Amino acid sequence: MSSSYSLLVQSVTGISWKPGPAHGKKPNLYVAIYQDGVEIKRTHTIKREIAPKWDYLANIPDPASSPISLRVFHDSSFPLVPDKHLATLNTSIPALLDQRGSEGDTKVLRLDLIGADGDQKGRPFGTISVRLMKVAEVAAVAIDKVQKAIEGVKLSGTESTLMKIGGILEHSKSTVEDLVSSLRSMTSKLSIIVAIGDELTTIHPYAHIAWKVLTAVYQTVKKQQETDDKLLELVDTMVDVYSFVGDVDFLADKIKGVEDKALAIVKQTVEYRAVRSTWLRADEKIYDLAQTLIKLKDSFEGRLAVQSLFLSAKMLKGVEALEQSDAWKKLNPLAMNAGLRPMCLPGTRRKILDDVTEWVTVPSEAGNILWLSGVAGSGKSTISTTVSESLRELDRLGAFLFFDRTDPSQSDPGAVIRTIAYCLALSNHRIGSVIAAVIHRDSAVINAPIRAQFKTLLLEPLEAVQQHIQGPILIILDALDECGDSDSRAPLLALLCDEFPKLPRFFRLLITSRRQADIIGQFQSRFKEIHLDTEVPSSTEDVELFLRHEMSHIQQQKKLGPEWPGEDNLLTLVQLSGGLFIWASTATKFMNGYRPDERLKILVTQNNAKRFNLDDLYSVALRNSGPWDTDTTFAQDAHAVLACVVLGKVPMTDQTIDMLLYSGTQRSQDVLSYLGCVLEWTPGQEARVLHISFADYLTDPNRSGSYPELRFNICNLEDSHLGNTTAPGLSERVKSMVSPQLSYSCCFGFNHIQETPFDLLVLGSIHSLLLHQFLYWLEVLSILGEMQSATTGLEVAAEYAKNGEDIELQNFITDASIFVAAFASIIAASAPHIYLSALPFSPVRSEIAQRFVPDTIKRKLA
Ligand SMILES: Nc1ncnc2c1ncn2[C@@H]1O[C@H](COP(=O)(O)OP(=O)(O)OP(=O)(O)O)[C@@H](O)[C@H]1O
């Protein structure tokens, strides 16, 4: 390499041109370079230009002392008509070196051409300008150029992307082989990709990193070009792959297809970055990467789907994995299905997505755990899903766990290590083999304490395979604050702090959570934290982008006028949202219901001095989603159905809710269809809250309106002579005094207990409820017309007490069952008669009388 030279062809001037009948007024010129009489390079043709300019860099192969000639041709543009040779410069590298003298590579040589035919032959015939450089000098110039180019690229989209693309292509038709001009070519190709990516946005996170990759390649060339042949090979291969960009016909309707290919290329480049900058054994990996790139190029040429390439490699490994899957299944992982999780709207969260991707792909000494914190609904889970998807596409996702408080069976802290091990086993063949072997050897570890699980299922296997893993692997734990409660997840938090940092450093852990006290206590100042601040301008801008997108969608879908929603209204919504995504998302769902115009007005007119926060929005959205005030049946049904969805131990379909609430009569569908702005449901499917913050709102009496808990005379009935059906305003009182949570727990709590495994804490709750609040429970059942639930509830409680060997509770239930059997009809007719009739008539020595009849009366009765 040290004796290699490059020739930069810059321009030709002074050519005289006689237009013939077949040519236009100006020639189509190109320069061909010959060494020892053999053509080795040529510039592209510049059409209809008498004094063309190029910026064409040609590498001159060894021996550099051989004769060189530069010949100027007119390109006939017709297949059967030969190009016309107009002029020539005969020279050699030593001669050119003499001519550039002490000024070196900066000197532009203006050299005379001689005529090539007719009477001009051998006579001066115009001038050619060239510069001669050593490759090392070229590298320096190129580095400078790429850095300037990088600085000059704007990643923000423009309307004229297509025009820009067209412009770049005009200049990228030449065949580039020289190393440095190749790198330059890649840079311009990448700018095309960035331009496409900006238009279609999905490429953005990769393109951003790919820019950095190319810079890194330049720097590596600068330092290592004399020694690192493998790198040079790789660069050649990359050039080859990037050359496809120049061949693409950029018709608007083909852009989507281009995007897929461009995305694949950029991803490979990112992969290079991950490998080159970190991750050991670089030479070996560079070789692999070069092979992959070659295959990638082949797959473009053969018009094969890129994915099939990756898939086939995976399938080979899959055969073996199948044999191991039995072992992995023993890990009994939490079921994770990210299918319906939302992703960031393209164009939002750019900076944070870049930062997180950068943190994953670039090693740092700052530790392998990143904590993304933020308030409810600020967008953490959406970011984590987007990151997981980018990394999955790069084959760098090890595990993505997301917790959900409304589904406790999927949020058990005790299952986290097993689930990570399972996901890692699936994601990587080598890790999978080691984990399978561990389980064969010691299957009891699956039920061991989580510290032992961590050591045996994660730390040791990952240490064992670290030699064979290049590049980072990301594990994501999303919504850690929803994983169990602060008590049950305490051991997991301690493990994350003490042990996870010991994992081989290419395992990166991204944790998202609200800033809850127990999590702050453990993580703050220990892990790198990115806090999603909703107050900063970038959050407001992102929410604005989202609102614009959603409102235009509603406008089209509901065929509203082109002015809708109006710029002022839109900006008011942005301001009301306070930079909180869940606010914006709930508001748009609310407006996308019946009469969006009215609903928009309801929201924007809330813009008074008081801040209209998420709770206010939930309250307004709920109030306006159905006939709560005019139809008491709707109000009661909606309460009960919401309670089922929010408090049910498992998600329920409309049929299950009907079975539970209305003995199978179809009623819940109607109610559910009104609640689309807060619930996710389609007929026959499970109903869920759209966002956990709605469940928080509904179950917190301080937020959704204060409801008293179980107590004497819960509905403040003044006249004990009136029955439940005749008491004035009873349904209104029930609505305001009995929270959905309470009514649901009273009616159906025992049904759920029946379905869950025995738990001492649950036994304690039953004990306390029945022994202290039994009569208040009956009061609620009476008011709600659900007295039959008392009998079934007591049966479940009796079984539980028996399993828990709680003799005191068993005795109480025996007596309570007699009490219910004797007085059920009286109590069902009138709640106050629990205290007026049933209690006084209970045998004075009975458990009920002993516990609930006041001592003064007991003494009199005795
Ligand atoms: N970048 C985004 N693009 C589009 N929609 C978004 C974006 N970020 C958030 N959203 C919307 O806002 C909702 C709330 O966001 P998300 O669930 O990610 O918040 P969170 O911070 O994880 O909340 P929590 O702490 O309560 O779990 C999402 O369901 C989604 O509809």
Side-chain angles (χ1 to χ4, degrees):
M1 297 293 297
S2 55
S3 56
S4 288
Y5 287 89
S6 292
L7 201 57
L8 185 71
V9 179
Q10 293 191 310
S11 63
V12 166
T13 51
I15 301 277
S16 69
W17 173 250
K18 289 184 210 138
H23 322 117
K25 289 195 175 118
K26 291 183 179 166
N28 304 328
L29 298 181
Y30 68 87
V31 176
I33 303 169
Y34 289 74
Q35 187 175 32
D36 275 329
V38 177
E39 183 183 337
I40 53 167
K41 303 280 164 68
R42 71 164 72 176
T43 66
H44 63 277
T45 300
I46 296 184
K47 292 196 169 174
R48 289 179 286 285
E49 178 57 66
I50 191 72
K53 290 186 177 152
W54 295 269
D55 195 17
Y56 179 73
L57 192 69
N59 189 31
I60 306 298
D62 280 335
S65 56
S66 318
I68 288 173
S69 75
L70 305 176
R71 298 179 195 171
V72 182
F73 286 88
H74 162 67
D75 184 343
S76 78
S77 304
F78 293 103
L80 298 177
V81 179
D83 295 347
K84 187 172 164 73
H85 180 188
L86 300 176
T88 301
L89 165 70
N90 290 318
T91 184
S92 66
I93 295 295
L96 292 171
L97 279 172
D98 269 346
Q99 281 162 303
R100 76 176 204 176
S102 57
E103 285 173 61
D105 74 287
T106 54
K107 181 163 180 185
V108 179
L109 304 173
R110 286 189 184 78
L111 304 168
D112 287 339
L113 294 159
I114 50 171
D117 67 354
D119 52 9
Q120 297 289 348
K121 194 165 183 173
R123 291 180 30 211
F125 195 80
T127 312
I128 184 163
S129 298
V130 295
R131 274 165 67 190
L132 182 69
M133 293 179 254
K134 279 189 182 166
V135 168
E137 293 160 344
V138 176
V141 172
I143 288 161
D144 188 35
K145 281 201 170 189
V146 80
Q147 276 164 355
K148 285 201 178 96
I150 288 167
E151 280 157 24
V153 167
K154 288 196 174 52
L155 287 174
S156 61
T158 66
E159 326 78 71
S160 59
T161 301
L162 278 176
M163 286 162 58
K164 253 172 40 193
I165 293 167
I168 294 166
L169 279 178
E170 276 295 299
H171 297 286
S172 51
K173 285 186 185 138
S174 59
T175 310
V176 184
E177 288 170 22
D178 172 89
L179 166 65
V180 177
S181 93
S182 300
L183 286 171
R184 183 188 298 162
S185 158
M186 278 197 291
T187 310
S188 76
K189 303 282 167 66
L190 186 60
S191 74
I192 297 172
I193 293 174
V194 170
I196 304 168
D198 243 12
E199 192 70 2
L200 299 169
T201 55
T202 53
I203 280 178
H204 172 77
Y206 307 111
H208 183 75
I209 295 179
W211 274 117
K212 295 186 180 177
V213 175
L214 284 186
T215 317
V217 173
Y218 274 100
Q219 273 153 6
T220 315
V221 169
K222 191 175 167 192
K223 286 190 201 123
Q224 304 186 8
Q225 69 166 28
E226 313 251 327
T227 55
D228 195 342
D229 289 340
K230 283 204 175 77
L231 178 76
L232 299 184
E233 267 173 39
L234 172 67
V235 170
D236 271 348
T237 315
M238 287 173 83
V239 170
D240 203 20
V241 174
Y242 272 81
S243 71
F244 121 94
V245 178
D247 301 336
V248 173
D249 181 7
F250 279 95
L251 292 173
D253 61 352
K254 291 199 178 163
I255 284 202
K256 186 68 195 146
V258 173
E259 185 194 29
D260 295 345
K261 291 167 185 142
L263 191 58
I265 289 176
V266 178
K267 281 179 194 167
Q268 278 307 127
T269 315
V270 175
E271 169 79 358
Y272 168 80
R273 157 74 173 294
V275 169
R276 184 76 202 168
S277 55
T278 343
W279 305 101
L280 327 162
R281 306 166 66 87
D283 282 355
E284 197 182 293
K285 185 64 194 179
I286 283 173
Y287 176 77
D288 289 349
L289 182 57
Q291 294 304 310
T292 313
L293 284 163
I294 290 165
K295 285 187 207 156
L296 194 56
K297 169 84 182 340
D298 290 348
S299 79
F300 290 139
E301 286 173 352
R303 296 288 180 259
L304 293 173
V306 176
Q307 276 79 357
S308 67
L309 187 75
F310 295 120
L311 278 181
S312 58
K314 277 190 174 167
M315 268 168 57
L316 280 177
K317 295 177 179 173
V319 176
E320 216 176 308
L322 264 180
E323 293 165 9
Q324 296 161 339
S325 66
D326 277 350
W328 302 334
K329 277 187 202 143
K330 289 188 187 155
L331 290 166
N332 190 18
L334 300 172
M336 293 291 151
N337 179 1
L340 294 176
R341 288 172 64 89
M343 308 245 290
C344 293
L345 175 73
T348 61
R349 301 302 194 195
R350 286 188 162 197
K351 166 94 173 63
I352 203 149
L353 291 173
D354 280 351
D355 288 351
V356 174
T357 316
E358 166 111 4
W359 173 82
V360 175
T361 51
V362 181
S364 81
E365 295 310 316
N368 62 346
I369 300 183
L370 175 66
W371 175 32
L372 176 63
S373 66
V375 295
S378 52
K380 304 175 296 294
S381 298
T382 312
I383 290 172
S384 76
T385 309
T386 310
V387 170
S388 80
E389 193 44 25
S390 309
L391 272 287
R392 189 190 61 75
E393 288 183 349
L394 287 171
D395 248 349
R396 294 271 155 236
L397 182 66
F400 180 28
L401 277 63
F402 37 90
F403 307 108
D404 177 356
R405 201 162 358 104
T406 61
D407 195 352
S409 64
Q410 291 307 310
S411 302
D412 171 13
V416 168
I417 303 300
R418 285 189 272 120
T419 308
I420 294 177
Y422 179 81
C423 296
L424 285 173
L426 286 189
S427 75
N428 184 291
H429 167 64
R430 282 185 195 274
I431 300 175
S433 313
V434 185
I435 289 179
V438 167
I439 297 168
H440 280 309
R441 210 177 45 238
D442 177 11
S443 59
V445 69
I446 290 161
N447 298 317
I450 57 172
R451 266 182 199 264
Q453 286 184 25
F454 174 81
K455 179 167 174 285
T456 314
L457 291 171
L458 292 182
L459 186 61
E460 289 170 0
L462 298 182
E463 279 175 350
V465 298
Q466 62 176 315
Q467 293 297 318
H468 305 286
I469 292 191
Q470 288 100 11
I473 292 188
L474 180 65
I475 297 166
I476 303 178
L477 302 182
D478 177 52
L480 191 62
D481 52 291
E482 294 186 45
C483 181
D485 55 27
S486 56
D487 287 338
S488 63
R489 69 175 163 257
L492 178 65
L493 293 191
L495 187 74
L496 290 169
C497 291
D498 304 341
E499 301 297 326
F500 267 71
K502 296 179 187 162
L503 287 177
R505 70 188 187 119
F506 48 78
F507 287 94
R508 322 286 281 166
L509 179 64
L510 171 66
I511 300 174
T512 77
S513 81
R514 298 182 190 174
R515 293 186 103 251
Q516 290 200 338
D518 60 326
I519 300 179
I520 296 178
Q522 290 282 11
F523 289 4
Q524 202 169 35
S525 73
R526 214 183 224 132
F527 301 143
K528 177 181 163 73
E529 177 181 1
I530 297 182
H531 183 67
L532 263 189
D533 189 348
T534 52
E535 306 283 326
V536 295
S538 60
S539 279
T540 316
E541 283 158 23
D542 284 345
V543 170
E544 180 174 341
L545 196 64
F546 173 77
L547 277 169
R548 284 186 190 281
H549 179 269
E550 294 295 296
M551 297 301 269
S552 114
H553 177 71
I554 297 174
Q555 187 239 331
Q556 283 165 20
Q557 206 187 25
K558 303 273 179 181
K559 302 199 173 32
L560 300 162
E563 298 301 315
W564 197 88
E567 188 64 11
D568 284 354
N569 287 338
L570 195 126
L571 293 177
T572 303
L573 290 175
V574 173
Q575 191 209 338
L576 288 172
S577 76
L580 196 62
F581 259 102
I582 186 60
W583 194 102
S585 145
T586 309
T588 51
K589 287 198 175 78
F590 172 59
M591 285 180 280
N592 200 10
Y594 181 62
R595 306 202 54 185
D597 216 15
E598 287 296 312
R599 293 184 173 209
L600 170 66
K601 226 180 268 163
I602 290 172
L603 292 187
V604 294
T605 48
Q606 305 287 339
N607 190 18
N608 48 27
K610 180 177 162 293
R611 186 143 179 211
F612 187 60
N613 64 20
L614 186 61
D615 288 355
D616 300 326
L617 176 63
Y618 277 140
S619 154
V620 164
L622 265 184
R623 236 185 301 126
N624 288 281
S625 58
W628 295 87
D629 299 327
T630 50
D631 182 345
T632 43
T633 320
F634 171 82
Q636 273 172 355
D637 284 353
H639 265 129
V641 169
L642 276 172
C644 279
V645 176
V646 172
L647 304 168
K649 289 250 178 208
V650 288
M652 292 180 240
T653 62
D654 42 319
Q655 288 98 337
T656 315
I657 295 175
D658 284 336
M659 291 301 293
L660 211 57
L661 297 181
Y662 312 114
S663 316
T665 319
Q666 269 194 13
R667 257 165 83 175
S668 62
Q669 280 212 0
D670 206 21
V671 173
L672 285 165
S673 63
Y674 279 98
L675 301 172
C677 64
V678 284
L679 300 185
E680 177 192 324
W681 169 78
T682 44
Q685 300 299 309
E686 289 166 352
R688 295 167 190 269
V689 289
L690 266 169
H691 197 259
I692 188 71
S693 56
F694 177 63
D696 295 344
Y697 160 81
L698 216 55
T699 53
D700 183 343
N702 296 323
R703 290 175 59 185
S704 51
S706 64
Y707 294 101
E709 288 307 301
L710 274 181
R711 65 171 174 80
F712 174 71
N713 195 10
I714 191 166
C715 285
N716 297 335
L717 296 173
E718 294 94 3
D719 190 344
S720 55
H721 295 102
L722 295 173
N724 289 349
T725 48
T726 47
L730 184 59
S731 62
E732 289 304 309
R733 290 177 196 233
V734 170
K735 212 163 45 161
S736 60
M737 308 302 256
V738 184
S739 68
Q741 179 182 11
L742 184 62
S743 71
Y744 183 78
S745 319
C746 287
C747 299
F748 307 108
F750 284 105
N751 299 31
H752 288 296
I753 288 171
Q754 194 173 24
E755 286 154 18
T756 52
F758 180 80
D759 183 331
L760 264 181
L761 285 176
V762 176
L763 180 66
S765 307
I766 299 175
H767 188 107
S768 149
L769 170 80
L770 292 183
L771 268 61
H772 302 292
Q773 299 183 300
F774 173 63
L775 299 184
Y776 309 153
W777 175 50
L778 293 186
E779 208 186 307
V780 172
L781 292 181
S782 159
I783 289 165
L784 296 175
E786 293 287 345
M787 266 307 285
Q788 75 283 1
S789 299
T791 314
T792 45
L794 286 173
E795 281 166 14
V796 174
E799 190 62 24
Y800 225 84
K802 197 167 134 209
N803 289 343
E805 296 174 5
D806 184 338
I807 306 294
E808 189 184 16
L809 182 58
Q810 285 183 54
N811 290 339
F812 178 83
I813 293 171
T814 309
D815 198 39
S817 305
I818 297 169
F819 180 85
V820 168
F823 301 113
S825 53
I826 296 173
I827 298 173
S830 168
H833 279 268
I834 295 172
Y835 310 100
L836 290 173
S837 313
L839 195 54
F841 281 104
S842 299
V844 74
R845 302 227 167 272
S846 69
E847 286 279 338
I848 302 289
Q850 285 298 315
R851 284 183 186 278
F852 296 110
V853 175
D855 285 347
T856 45
I857 299 178
K858 261 190 267 175
R859 272 197 295 278
K860 282 189 190 154
L861 289 172

